[in-house]
Amino acid sequence: MFRDSSRSRLTLFALVAAAVVLLALDGRPGSDPVTGTARAGAELAFAPVAGGVGHVAAPITGLYQGIKQGPEAADRIAELEEANAELESELKAASIDEDRADQLDDLLHLSGLGEYEIVPARAVTHVTSQGYAHTATLDAGTRSGIEKNMTVVNGDGLVGKVTEAGPRTSTVLLATDHNASVGARLEGSGKIGVAGGGKVPGAPEADLTYELFDMETQIEPGDRLVTLGSHDGAPFVPGVPIGTVEEVHVSPGALSRVASIEPAVDHASLDTVGVVVDGPAGDPRDSLLPPKPDREEDR
């Protein structure tokens, strides 16, 4: 710290005077050898003082700039985060809408091939926990023409059947439920049996099983099933894909052959479905099954 003395005051006066001269010289246009030398000398003289002052003032300056810019920066960051969240939400919604549009296209394609008249709906709830029935609630009901014992499909095949219908909602028992059963027949041969959810005694564990009554009928992994169809199309219309045989099990002394089935529909992720309010004039047979993949290509 400077002491208040005649020498210190004289030194301070000299520094101020030199600063004034330097400012006057620095403001002159062009590069003059004399003024350039004066500037260089002044910089050498003032550099230690300027460095010390800058070092001491740096934290204060930084704090001031932080206080000055802090609220604006925080507001800007908040705006960017909000805009980013909105964009993510829009992208997610667009992705969901696109996925639902694809599902609706597949549904309309299947119903067109089968000549099914359908009411599109969305599965808004889905219960599959142990101790509860495998059911789904749809956001459409009797006001849309939906009634009990109607077939429910999506773009891949059989979802289940309507068990309850209210004005605005309806309940669907999924094909994978333990109490569900549907008449089914094998692609090509037309041999009939029953497909249902849960485990059949003596059969392998599976979400869906198929019991074929004719022990002489050949059935192999890769064979596919479609609905046989009920009287007047209730609760099941004919020709809807059910699933594909995964494994065949034959118990000694059994009167039927049982196979585990991979469902055509992913019942755990239902969204867009269609309730068949009017069935086809004729049996579409196997026409709704997609082409089989080339096994040679799969290898």
Side-chain angles (χ1 to χ4, degrees), residues 16 34 42 47 53 95-96 108 122 144 150 155 176 182 198 241 245 262 274 283 290:
V16 171
V34 177
V53 172
S95 176
I96 292 174
L108 294 176
R122 285 184 54 203
S144 301
M150 285 183 169
T176 52
V182 52
V245 174
E262 179 183 2
D283 189 345

Side-chain angles (χ1 to χ4, degrees), residues 12 26 29-31 61 180 188 272 277 283:
L12 179 60
D26 194 56
S31 59
T61 303
T272 303
V277 294
D283 189 345

Side-chain angles (χ1 to χ4, degrees), residues 11-12 14 32 52 57 63-64 67 81 88 101 135-136 162-163 167 176 190 299:
T11 302
L12 179 60
D32 186 278
L63 178 61
Y64 171 74
I67 294 173
E81 288 179 345
E88 288 181 353
T135 62
V162 176
T163 55
T176 52
R299 294 176 188 172

Side-chain angles (χ1 to χ4, degrees), residues 67-274:
I67 294 173
K68 181 180 178 182
Q69 298 179 7
E72 295 180 1
D75 291 343
R76 181 56 179 157
I77 290 172
E79 290 176 2
L80 291 174
E81 288 179 345
E82 183 178 354
N84 185 53
E86 290 178 359
L87 179 59
E88 288 181 353
S89 178
E90 290 175 2
L91 290 174
K92 184 177 180 180
S95 176
I96 292 174
D97 288 343
E98 183 178 356
D99 185 53
R100 285 175 180 157
D102 291 340
Q103 291 183 39
L104 183 59
D105 285 343
D106 293 340
L107 175 62
L108 294 176
H109 177 70
L110 182 139
S111 62
L113 286 178
E115 298 182 355
Y116 308 135
E117 183 180 339
I118 64 168
V119 170
R122 285 184 54 203
V124 292
T125 62
H126 189 199
V127 182
T128 58
S129 302
Q130 281 190 341
Y132 295 89
H134 287 220
T135 62
T137 300
L138 308 184
D139 63 354
T142 55
R143 292 187 179 183
S144 301
I146 296 174
E147 298 176 0
K148 185 178 178 179
N149 286 332
M150 285 183 169
T151 310
V152 183
V153 301
N154 72 1
D156 296 318
L158 181 67
V159 172
K161 67 177 181 178
V162 176
T163 55
E164 296 180 15
R168 298 180 182 275
T169 62
S170 50
T171 302
V172 178
L173 182 69
L174 304 182
T176 52
D177 184 75
H178 287 206
N179 296 317
S181 62
V182 52
R185 58 181 178 76
L186 282 173
E187 174 188 12
S189 70
K191 294 295 184 177
I192 63 173
V194 175
K199 190 176 185 303
V200 174
E205 187 70 35
D207 289 334
L208 196 62
T209 57
Y210 176 61
E211 189 174 7
L212 184 63
F213 300 130
D214 187 353
M215 287 290 292
E216 303 300 321
T217 299
Q218 293 297 317
I219 179 172
E220 299 177 352
D223 290 344
R224 298 182 293 183
L225 309 173
V226 296
T227 54
L228 178 64
S230 309
H231 179 67
D232 291 334
F236 298 106
V237 293
V240 181
I242 296 174
T244 304
V245 174
E246 286 187 315
E247 182 183 354
V248 181
H249 182 79
V250 181
S251 299
L255 301 178
S256 61
R257 309 179 75 182
V258 179
S260 58
I261 305 297
E262 179 183 2
V265 170
D266 182 2
H267 293 86
S269 59
L270 293 175
D271 192 345
T272 303
V273 301

